[in-house]
Amino acid sequence: MSRLELIDENIRNIPEYVPGKSIEETAKKYGLDPASIIKLGSNENPLGPSPKAVQAILEYASKVHLYPSADAGELVDALSIYLNIPTSSICAAGPGMDGLLDNLMRLLIKEGDEVIIPIPTFSYYEIAARANGASVVYVERKGDFTVDIGAIQKAVSSRTKVVFLCSPNNPSGDVVPESDVRILLESFRGLVFVDEAYVEFADHSITDLVMEYDNLVVGRTFSKIFGLAGLRLGYGIMPYWLKKEYMKIATPFNVSLPAVKAGVAAISDKLHIEKSIAMVKEGRKYLQEQIPFKVYDSMANFVLVDVSPLNASEVCEKLLEKGIIVRDCRSFKGAGPSLIRVTVGTKEQNMRVVNAFRSV
């Protein structure tokens, strides 16, 4: 028996997660000065974190020998005010929203269950579900990448436990209409998970529906608008019955003390939030109008570009040679060979990206 056989076959067959390229590996490969490289492939906030969050990290750096509260209560209290949602429906999670997904799948999924994933979308839903024994049913999106709720309903079986929706969707940037979410919640006996990682850049959220439906979970993160991707901090909004069970299996102390304090500080910095949103909305419009390829409408902090008849890999290669990191979407199941996701950057970064696309 090979050592690899010690690993469950279902785990061995899971496709690896493909992250965006780093500045360090790009600089090394192309012989570039790291300072000249712009990273617009991972949907990070180019303005960085709130100065208040940085100050909180520095203040509590000397106290990391102490455990944080087991449930990150201070952060949950701050989120309750930020969202106008009771604390009984909020769970803080680490690392990032991925930790929330891992815990939910561990709680809900057993061998033989199914989950439904509309593709293309964020790949970690599949990884978390399959790692816990679920089979994945893929539902293709419409031609404009919007979700086909009717197709999802047809795909539901007696074994379906969870339907995943990403709104705004990664990598397409479209938002699932509230009416469609309601249709699914009312016609499906299982759980609907809505990923709102990018919702602060959109025009509406369905978070309030958690107070109306007992089969809805909304996942959120501090990695995008709050600029705290390196701290790996996320949270979930869910009905109380589910939170009670969730807390039984959640890893104790899973959110570090500096992350809790930085999260509370980031929420309080309304000026930084507003500045980040304004930058994205202005830059998003500029990229949509100026990139000389088809650019899909987006409500996130990125745009999806179709470079056909060219291939995404060759275009991304040309941009990398110019020190510009964007995301080749071929690793997204169902995305095809010609799609590139571009994070909205600063005004100067956006101009550089447009010029690079024009030169291609």
Side-chain angles (χ1 to χ4, degrees), residues 24-229:
E24 292 74 20
E25 66 179 301
T26 302
K28 183 177 180 180
K29 181 176 180 180
Y30 297 94
L32 300 170
D33 178 1
S36 71
I37 296 172
I38 57 174
K39 186 170 183 257
L40 300 177
S42 300
N43 303 334
E44 297 147 331
N45 187 338
L47 298 181
S50 157
K52 293 183 178 181
V54 174
Q55 184 58 42
I57 294 169
L58 294 173
E59 183 179 344
Y60 284 89
S62 63
K63 299 178 182 178
V64 293
H65 62 294
L66 302 173
Y67 282 108
S69 59
D71 61 354
E74 185 180 348
L75 179 59
V76 170
D77 288 343
L79 285 167
S80 176
I81 297 170
Y82 175 67
L83 300 166
N84 194 27
I85 297 283
T87 57
S88 58
S89 291
I90 301 172
C91 294
M97 195 197 302
D98 301 342
L100 175 73
L101 287 165
D102 283 334
N103 283 333
L104 283 171
M105 294 303 97
R106 189 151 59 101
L107 177 65
L108 296 167
I109 298 298
K110 63 181 184 297
E111 194 76 31
D113 288 339
E114 292 179 351
V115 301
I116 293 176
I117 303 177
I119 55 173
T121 195
F122 183 48
S123 63
Y124 197 75
Y125 311 140
E126 175 182 355
I127 294 171
R130 288 181 58 180
N132 287 279
S135 298
V136 178
V137 177
Y138 306 104
V139 175
E140 289 191 9
R141 292 167 176 266
K142 299 176 183 178
D144 60 355
F145 294 116
T146 56
V147 168
D148 188 335
I149 292 296
I152 290 176
Q153 289 178 298
K154 289 178 182 177
V156 170
S157 75
S158 59
R159 297 165 58 192
T160 308
K161 274 284 187 72
V162 182
V163 173
F164 290 97
L165 299 174
C166 189
S167 182
N169 184 49
N170 176 15
S172 55
D174 62 285
V175 172
V176 183
E178 182 178 312
S179 57
D180 282 353
V181 179
R182 286 182 180 274
I183 288 170
L184 193 55
L185 289 167
E186 291 169 7
S187 63
F188 175 51
R189 57 174 288 278
L191 203 73
V192 177
F193 182 92
V194 180
D195 179 343
E196 287 195 339
Y198 304 96
V199 77
E200 280 91 354
F201 306 109
D203 57 7
H204 76 278
S205 162
I206 53 88
T207 302
D208 288 346
L209 297 189
V210 174
M211 300 297 102
E212 235 180 290
Y213 296 92
D214 66 355
N215 60 334
L216 172 65
V217 175
V218 177
R220 291 210 182 171
T221 182
F222 280 80
S223 297
K224 308 308 176 183
I225 191 164
F226 295 113
L228 296 176

